[in-house]
Amino acid sequence: MQNHKNRKQSEKEFLSVIPEAMPDFDDQQSIPLRETAFLTLRKLILTGKLHPGERLTEVRLGKILGTSRTPIREAIRKLELEGLVVITPGSGARVAKITAEDLQDVMEVRSSLDQLCAYLASKRITEEEKKELIRARDSFEYSTRFGKEQDIAESDVRFHDAIARAAKNRRLDQVMSGLADTIYRYRYEYIRDDLHYEQLIMEHRAICKGVIDGDSKAAATAAREHIERQREFILDQIRRASS
């Protein structure tokens, strides 16, 4: 009886986040059903609303999203190609788990990229870009006090994007874009714990100061320490979950 109650509560919580994960209504007019399903499920996975290891049932998801099983099946296959879903013969599709190995691989690459972005930005940033970076920094701080988790994650993205733009390296942008979704998933895991917010604010300020002051060494060091703290926290969460 208790398990049934828990399942109903879980379903209710899941249904409550569907509207905010759906593409804007105007966008849906020109988006095929399979793409709408893909974008919705992808956002639910990236923001942790669909949990790692959770089973993705075509019939259930079809009813929730108001579509047939075919668009759901196509969306799941596309999510598998992105590494967000694992399909196992005989047991179906599940949200890909966050493993210590995956975390290590991604964070090693992200650390190097963020350090390079900060280093280059400190040498190439314009006066207008400095103002943009300060606005992004302040917007993040505001979101940690008054925003929802998604607001905080997106303002964090904008802060790092402002630094990447100031770095002015197209190839670096392309590599960063290719990792954006995976990085977002790990970022969201970190910002879900509000105990980190003050630390994150201090880290952003340190990166921002290094970039604006033209101190490439300080900017790169602050970026490295910023990513290392995230890596350690999420790794600890994975260890706790596995034990």
Side-chain angles (χ1 to χ4, degrees):
M1 185 70 176
Q2 185 62 37
N3 287 338
H4 177 68
K5 183 178 179 181
N6 289 341
R7 282 197 300 272
K8 290 198 70 174
Q9 180 64 25
S10 176
E11 188 83 354
K12 183 178 180 181
E13 291 173 356
F14 180 68
L15 285 168
S16 71
V17 299
I18 288 292
E20 66 184 56
M22 294 284 283
D24 293 337
F25 182 80
D26 289 342
D27 294 340
Q28 290 184 58
Q29 304 304 307
S30 57
I31 297 178
L33 280 175
R34 63 178 180 277
E35 192 66 12
T36 299
F38 166 71
L39 291 172
T40 303
L41 293 176
R42 180 169 167 269
K43 188 168 185 178
L44 291 169
I45 292 172
L46 292 175
T47 57
K49 303 301 189 301
L50 282 171
H51 305 293
E54 185 170 345
R55 190 177 179 191
L56 302 177
T57 307
E58 293 173 10
V59 174
R60 171 177 174 255
L61 292 174
K63 288 180 179 178
I64 292 172
L65 298 178
T67 185
S68 67
R69 295 174 60 179
T70 300
I72 300 296
R73 187 180 304 118
E74 293 174 350
I76 288 174
R77 286 173 180 165
K78 193 171 178 180
L79 289 165
E80 182 188 26
L81 293 175
E82 290 201 358
L84 294 174
V85 166
V86 175
I87 300 176
T88 305
S91 61
R94 293 183 182 275
V95 177
K97 294 182 179 180
I98 297 175
T99 67
E101 292 78 9
D102 288 340
L103 172 69
Q104 186 68 22
D105 288 348
V106 170
M107 288 305 191
E108 282 178 352
V109 175
R110 187 186 172 191
S111 178
S112 296
L113 295 176
D114 276 28
Q115 287 180 67
L116 180 56
C117 281
Y119 179 88
L120 294 176
S122 68
K123 294 178 175 295
R124 300 173 178 176
I125 192 167
T126 65
E127 290 303 316
E128 186 57 40
E129 287 169 338
K130 287 180 181 179
K131 294 176 183 177
E132 180 186 353
L133 179 57
I134 291 171
R135 285 194 294 269
R137 179 201 66 192
D138 293 346
S139 176
F140 175 79
E141 294 184 16
Y142 181 88
S143 70
T144 62
R145 293 179 172 85
F146 304 106
K148 298 178 182 178
E149 289 176 357
Q150 187 172 326
D151 298 326
I152 298 168
E154 291 177 356
S155 64
D156 186 48
V157 171
R158 287 192 293 272
F159 174 78
H160 288 282
D161 282 352
I163 296 172
R165 283 192 296 274
K168 299 180 180 65
N169 185 307
R170 289 186 299 109
R171 295 298 183 185
L172 181 56
D173 279 344
Q174 289 172 353
V175 176
M176 293 288 283
S177 295
L179 280 173
D181 288 344
T182 302
I183 289 173
Y184 189 91
R185 194 181 185 197
Y186 292 122
R187 171 185 278 119
Y188 212 93
E189 284 296 310
Y190 191 59
I191 61 93
R192 290 173 75 174
D193 190 335
D194 60 10
L195 295 176
H196 298 298
Y197 293 171
E198 288 305 317
Q199 181 65 43
L200 281 169
I201 288 171
M202 291 171 60
E203 291 169 7
H204 278 197
R205 287 178 180 176
I207 298 170
C208 186
K209 186 177 188 305
V211 170
I212 289 175
D213 290 349
D215 189 337
S216 55
K217 184 177 180 180
T221 298
R224 176 178 57 79
E225 292 175 350
H226 176 58
I227 302 305
E228 180 60 21
R229 287 193 182 93
Q230 291 187 40
R231 186 190 71 82
E232 285 295 329
F233 172 78
I234 302 173
L235 183 59
D236 184 60
Q237 293 293 89
I238 293 172
R239 287 169 178 161
R240 289 173 182 269
S242 62
S243 63

